[in-house]
Amino acid sequence: YDESWCVICDKGIQLKRLLAKGFELDEIHKRLGAQMPQDTKASKSDFIINNSGSKEETSLQIKEKINLLKSNM
């Protein structure tokens, strides 16, 4: 397949998750600052997975997209 998928997350949730993993605030800002902004990545992607919710919600989005791809085969 020739598709680009992008995973995005609410910035507040992203910050909370990274702090919970033990990253320091300055390191988080440094790492995120080195990345392409989420809205830019999303605009260049064919499919966007929003990872702001639960693992189950994220998994459901992926399964739905995979099922759609299978139905188009």
Side-chain angles (χ1 to χ4, degrees):
Y1 300 100
D2 295 320
E3 281 192 347
S4 172
W5 292 23
C6 173
V7 179
I8 61 171
C9 184
D10 175 80
K11 291 185 183 210
I13 293 171
Q14 185 180 39
L15 179 62
K16 183 179 174 183
R17 289 176 180 172
L18 291 168
L19 287 169
K21 287 184 177 187
F23 287 95
E24 297 291 330
L25 194 55
D26 61 330
E27 179 67 17
I28 292 170
H29 289 298
K30 187 170 146 185
R31 286 175 180 248
L32 295 178
Q35 296 177 18
M36 183 186 304
Q38 288 190 76
D39 57 342
T40 304
K41 286 190 269 188
S43 71
K44 297 176 181 286
S45 299
D46 299 301
F47 182 65
I48 301 164
I49 300 165
N50 189 323
N51 190 27
S52 298
S54 67
K55 289 180 182 181
E56 292 78 18
E57 291 169 325
T58 302
S59 180
L60 180 61
Q61 291 175 69
I62 295 166
K63 288 176 184 176
E64 287 175 350
K65 179 60 174 174
I66 289 171
N67 288 335
L68 180 64
L69 289 171
K70 285 180 180 179
S71 70
N72 291 330
M73 293 178 101

